[in-house]
């Protein structure tokens, strides 16, 4: 027998002989089949109820509330006029630029003016830019407030809160395009400080039909004498572009003249005329009493200057020369393009061009018997809203000019002049704005140019920080101060600048405008125009006491 079989037999015998194990006790009590059925039924019922409940929640539960999107905000990018702007042309439109296209149907009730103004809104190039045209034009010297409250965008956007825009218009004679400082030129003092030549609106019977032909150009030239109540009328036809200037002998007034079209039936270029304002026989050869019959004589004819659109002339201190300005371009988006400067002799002839050709030039003032300062466009950049100017000095004898400051330190010249010795130049600048009808040049900054041996060219340039726009700047005879107008309170007041400290102080206080100042030769009085809705008056103010009087209330000699 093999070993394997023998092992199997032994194993069977051993299993048979093994004793039985004792029975183990039950762990759980016995459960009847009925109990197990009941448990199973409960479990099935719970499962069914849970399933049905979950389905119910899935089928009938409301979706969570979604957040309501906020209304889109309607934003305004820019406006013309700017907030708080003054001297807004009465003929200009009002432009509001939005960030999105506007529902035009929302405008009639969504926009309101105070005082109430009639007119029409329309898209200005695109529906996100709107133009309002007042019909009739804005009232002069009036503060307006526009309120936008219910305006909607085409995308449903609305203003988060009402938008308000406040601005003030200029006088009715201010053109829609042009220099604001030319609306009323400063008066001119006689060399002896006893008389003032000034411009006033024309008589209503100058033109045909009882209305002046050139309502914004043809002014009356008048003479006011200290201590004398009534002014003297010198001529009915004067051009507003030039302030009256006295001849060195103190007897005649130089002015730019324009003859209204109603008189000749055709367009008439400006010419330079002189009118004898005072009789001969004054002290030191100066004029005496106002002339009984002022006689006007043409000094410079437009035909001699290739028919420029207007002329102005400034005599040298000794009367041997005239610095003559001729504007060959209109005052528009490109300002006074090709405004040339010439020198003429005492007779108004022998024309000689000054400086380079093609550049725009502005006369500033004589610094001696044969030299004067002027501005000329830097690099002849004529076609721009903002011209950059160099400061130059001309020799009237030769017509040659030299550059004092280059690189365009002055941008956007509006008006100003030099002190008698040429050590100080005070000028104002302008900024160009799209009015909806045209480009308007409105007042901006005050700039002072001082003689300074430590600066390149012998002069330094500084912009004066002011609380508002500046216009009508004039340096004092001793070059110690500058008088100018500032519109910080919504109207024009006169201010003084102390040149040494560069500190400013208010000289007059509204509510009427104080504009167009001019220093007396001795510096003790400043003549200016007080402008209101009722008209314009010539006034005097003492810079030391700030006392305001009329010329008739001041005795001759100040």
């Amino acid at each position: 027998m093999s070993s394997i079989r023998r092992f199997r037999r032994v194993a069977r015998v051993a299993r048979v002989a093994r004793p039985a194990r004792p029975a183990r006790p039950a762990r759980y009590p016995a459960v009847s089949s009925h109990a197990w059925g009941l448990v199973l039924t409960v479990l099935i019922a719970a499962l069914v109820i849970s399933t049905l409940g979950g389905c119910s929640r899935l089928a009938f539960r409301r979706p969570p509330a979604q957040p309501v999107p906020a209304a889109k905000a309607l934003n305004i990018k820019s406006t013309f006029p700017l907030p708080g702007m003054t001297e807004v042309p009465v003929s200009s439109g009002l432009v509001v630029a939005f960030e999105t296209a506007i529902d035009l149907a929302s405008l009639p009730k969504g926009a309101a003016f105070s005082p109430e103004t009639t007119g029409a809104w329309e898209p200005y190039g695109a529906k996100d830019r709107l133009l309002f045209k007042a019909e009739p034009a804005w009232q002069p010297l009036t503060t307006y407030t526009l309120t936008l409250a219910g305006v909607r965008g085409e995308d449903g956007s609305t203003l988060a809160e009402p938008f308000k825009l406040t601005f003030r218009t200029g006088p009715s004679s201010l053109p829609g395009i042009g220099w604001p400082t030319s609306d009323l030129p400063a008066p001119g003092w006689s060399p002896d400080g006893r008389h003032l030549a000034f411009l006033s609106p024309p008589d209503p019977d100058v033109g045909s039909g009882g209305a002046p032909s050139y309502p914004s150009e043809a002014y009356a030239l008048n003479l006011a004498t200290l201590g004398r109540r009534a002014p003297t009328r010198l001529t009915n036809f004067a051009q507003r572009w030039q302030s009256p200037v006295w001849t060195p002998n103190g007897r005649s007034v130089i002015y730019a003249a324009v003859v209204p079209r109603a008189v000749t039936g055709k367009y008439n270029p400006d010419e330079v005329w002189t009118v004898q304002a005072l009789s001969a026989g004054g002290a030191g050869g100066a004029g005496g009493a106002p002339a009984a019959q002022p006689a006007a004589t043409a000094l410079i004819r437009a035909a001699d200057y290739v028919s420029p659109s207007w002329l102005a002339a400034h005599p040298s201190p000794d009367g041997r020369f005239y610095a003559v300005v001729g504007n060959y371009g209109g005052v528009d988006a490109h300002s006074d393009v090709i405004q040339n400067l010439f020198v003429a002799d005492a007779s108004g002839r022998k024309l000689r061009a000054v400086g380079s050709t093609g550049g725009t030039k502005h006369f500033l003032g004589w610094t001696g018997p044969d030299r004067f300062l002027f501005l000329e466009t830097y690099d002849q950049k004529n076609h721009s809203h903002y011209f950059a100017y160099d400061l130059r000095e001309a020799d009237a004898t030769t017509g040659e000019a030299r550059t004092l400051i280059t690189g365009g330190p002055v941008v956007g010249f509006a008006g100003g002049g030099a002190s008698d010795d040429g050590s100080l130049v005070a000028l104002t600048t302008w900024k160009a704005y799209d009015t909806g009808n045209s480009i308007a040049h409105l007042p901006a900054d005050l700039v002072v140019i001082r003689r300074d041996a430590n600066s390149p060219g012998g002069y330094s340039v500084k912009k004066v920080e002011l609380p508002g726009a500046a216009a009508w700047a004039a340096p004092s005879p001793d070059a110690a101060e500058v008088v100018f107008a500032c519109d910080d309170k919504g109207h024009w007041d006169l201010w003084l600048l102390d040149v040494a400290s560069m500190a400013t102080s208010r000289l007059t206080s509204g509510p009427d405008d104080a504009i167009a100042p001019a220093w007396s030769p001795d510096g003790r009085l400043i003549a200016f125009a007080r402008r209101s809705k009722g008209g314009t008056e010539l006034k005097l103010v003492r810079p030391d006491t700030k006392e305001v009087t009329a010329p008739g209330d001041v005795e001759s000699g100040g």
Side-chain angles (χ1 to χ4, degrees):
M1 179 182 299
S2 68
S3 59
I4 294 176
R5 289 180 179 177
R6 198 167 39 251
F7 175 80
R8 289 177 176 172
R9 173 181 286 184
V10 171
R12 284 197 300 268
V13 172
R15 282 198 299 270
V16 173
R18 182 184 304 161
R21 294 179 180 177
R24 294 179 179 179
R27 291 186 179 181
Y28 304 102
V31 180
S32 64
S33 59
H34 175 74
W36 279 115
L38 182 60
V39 171
L40 182 60
T41 302
V42 171
L43 292 175
I44 294 174
L47 179 62
V48 170
I49 293 173
S50 174
T51 303
L52 291 177
C55 293
S56 175
R57 285 192 300 271
L58 291 175
F60 303 107
R61 184 176 59 185
R62 293 182 180 180
Q66 298 295 325
V68 179
K72 293 183 179 179
L74 178 61
N75 296 317
I76 295 175
K77 295 193 298 183
S78 63
T79 66
F80 179 88
L82 298 179
M85 180 176 282
T86 61
E87 296 296 303
V88 175
V90 295
S91 60
S92 74
L94 185 149
V95 179
V96 181
F98 298 85
E99 290 186 347
T100 188
I102 298 301
D103 179 2
L104 299 181
S106 67
L107 278 171
K109 294 183 178 180
F113 285 93
S114 177
E116 186 175 350
T117 303
T118 58
W121 289 92
E122 61 185 49
Y124 184 47
K127 294 182 71 175
D128 61 347
R129 299 185 72 207
L130 301 181
L131 169 65
F132 178 83
K133 293 182 177 180
E135 299 174 0
W138 307 105
Q139 293 297 311
L141 302 178
T142 301
T143 299
Y144 286 90
T145 298
L146 165 66
T147 301
L148 298 176
V151 181
R152 298 187 307 274
E154 289 186 343
D155 58 0
S157 57
T158 58
L159 293 169
E161 58 184 20
F163 172 81
K164 291 184 179 293
L165 170 66
T166 300
F167 61 94
R168 185 172 184 260
T169 55
S172 59
S173 59
L174 185 65
I177 307 174
W179 302 111
T181 54
S182 297
D183 170 61
L184 188 64
W189 286 89
S190 61
D192 61 7
R194 298 174 54 222
H195 307 277
L196 280 158
F198 66 98
L199 298 181
S200 65
D203 291 339
D205 58 352
V206 169
S208 60
S213 178
Y214 285 178
S216 65
E217 298 178 2
Y219 277 65
L221 180 63
N222 310 281
L223 177 70
T225 300
L226 299 186
R228 184 170 178 169
R229 296 291 181 181
T232 301
R233 177 61 53 86
L234 298 178
T235 175
N236 275 335
F237 302 134
Q239 171 58 279
R240 66 185 176 87
W241 291 119
Q242 180 184 10
S243 296
V245 179
W246 289 78
T247 56
N249 64 16
R251 289 194 294 269
S252 298
V253 177
I254 302 169
Y255 64 101
V258 57
V259 180
R261 192 176 307 180
V263 176
T264 63
K266 63 179 181 179
Y267 170 76
N268 300 281
D270 301 350
E271 297 179 335
V272 176
W273 286 58
T274 64
V275 58
Q276 184 176 340
L278 304 174
S279 61
Q293 293 182 337
T297 304
L299 176 66
I300 302 175
R301 295 284 188 178
D304 298 334
Y305 295 87
V306 201
S307 298
S309 59
W310 59 266
L311 286 167
H314 306 270
S316 63
D318 59 6
R320 290 189 301 136
F321 302 102
Y322 286 96
V324 181
V325 181
N327 184 3
Y328 290 77
V331 182
D332 58 7
H334 299 305
S335 182
D336 50 350
V337 177
I338 316 179
Q339 176 174 302
N340 285 332
L341 186 59
F342 311 94
V343 172
D345 62 12
S347 66
R349 301 296 184 268
K350 296 183 179 180
L351 174 69
R352 181 186 295 111
V354 174
S356 60
T357 58
T360 294
K361 307 172 184 69
H362 293 283
F363 174 83
L364 293 175
W366 290 89
T367 60
D370 57 0
R371 293 184 177 276
F372 60 85
L373 295 176
F374 69 100
L375 296 177
E376 183 171 8
T377 43
Y378 169 64
D379 200 24
Q380 299 185 10
K381 294 179 180 178
N382 287 322
H383 291 79
S384 168
H385 287 316
Y386 301 107
F387 294 0
Y389 293 94
D390 288 344
L391 179 66
R392 309 195 73 193
E393 184 180 49
D395 185 331
T397 304
T398 63
E400 298 295 326
R402 67 188 183 101
T403 299
L404 301 177
I405 306 178
T406 189
V410 177
V411 179
F413 174 82
S419 60
D420 294 342
D421 61 357
S423 64
L424 175 67
V425 175
L427 57 88
T428 57
T429 63
W430 54 265
K431 291 184 179 180
Y433 297 95
D434 185 349
T435 71
N437 294 337
S438 59
I439 299 297
H441 305 122
L442 299 180
D445 299 317
L446 173 66
V447 177
V448 173
I449 303 176
R450 301 173 61 184
R451 187 174 289 163
D452 184 356
N454 298 321
S455 297
Y459 285 85
S460 61
V461 182
K462 182 176 180 59
K463 186 180 79 170
V464 182
E465 296 297 328
L466 298 172
W472 292 283
S476 62
D478 61 1
E481 294 180 293
V482 174
V483 63
F484 61 96
C486 182
D487 68 345
D488 67 314
K489 292 187 176 181
H491 61 267
W492 294 99
D493 283 329
L494 294 185
W495 287 59
L496 286 176
L497 168 71
D498 180 79
V499 176
S501 65
M502 297 302 288
T504 58
S505 60
R506 191 185 303 272
L507 183 59
T508 65
S509 184
D512 296 332
D513 289 333
I515 59 176
W519 292 88
S520 63
D522 59 10
R524 292 191 294 173
L525 292 171
I526 297 174
F528 69 96
R530 174 176 283 174
R531 187 179 65 184
S532 66
K533 290 184 178 181
T536 303
E537 300 176 285
L538 182 64
K539 293 291 185 179
L540 304 176
V541 60
R542 297 182 183 273
D544 53 350
T545 65
K546 301 184 180 181
E547 179 187 3
V548 176
T549 59
D553 297 329
V554 178
E555 293 300 326
S556 179

